[in-house]
Amino acid sequence: MMQPVYLDYNATTPVAQEVMNAMVPYFRDHYGNPSSSHFYGQTAKKAIDLARQNVASLLGADLSE
């Protein structure tokens, strides 16, 4: 039997295991709205800010770019 081939990567893509592992705590425990001022929101905001810093650093870009 032939294996199906997924060709709609424009709509969605599989998630790498490393990404899934990094995101599980935010799906399960730290799910606050980062625009909110409460503890859960601020925890999520800090994680997003750190991720942005890491990506900017990897790209050799300013955080504002």
Side-chain angles (χ1 to χ4, degrees):
M1 180 174 217
M2 292 179 50
Q3 288 283 342
V5 176
Y6 184 76
L7 298 174
D8 195 11
Y9 285 88
N10 189 51
T12 187
T13 59
V15 176
Q17 189 61 51
E18 298 86 354
V19 173
M20 183 63 72
N21 293 344
M23 290 303 299
V24 164
Y26 300 97
F27 294 143
R28 186 179 44 217
D29 303 318
H30 307 295
Y31 44 81
N33 178 346
S35 296
S36 297
S37 60
H38 52 65
F39 172 80
Y40 293 103
Q42 291 306 297
T43 300
K45 182 175 182 350
K46 287 176 187 173
I48 291 170
D49 290 345
L50 179 59
R52 286 180 174 150
Q53 290 174 358
N54 289 338
V55 170
S57 177
L58 286 170
L59 297 175
D62 275 343
L63 187 56
S64 63
E65 295 183 286

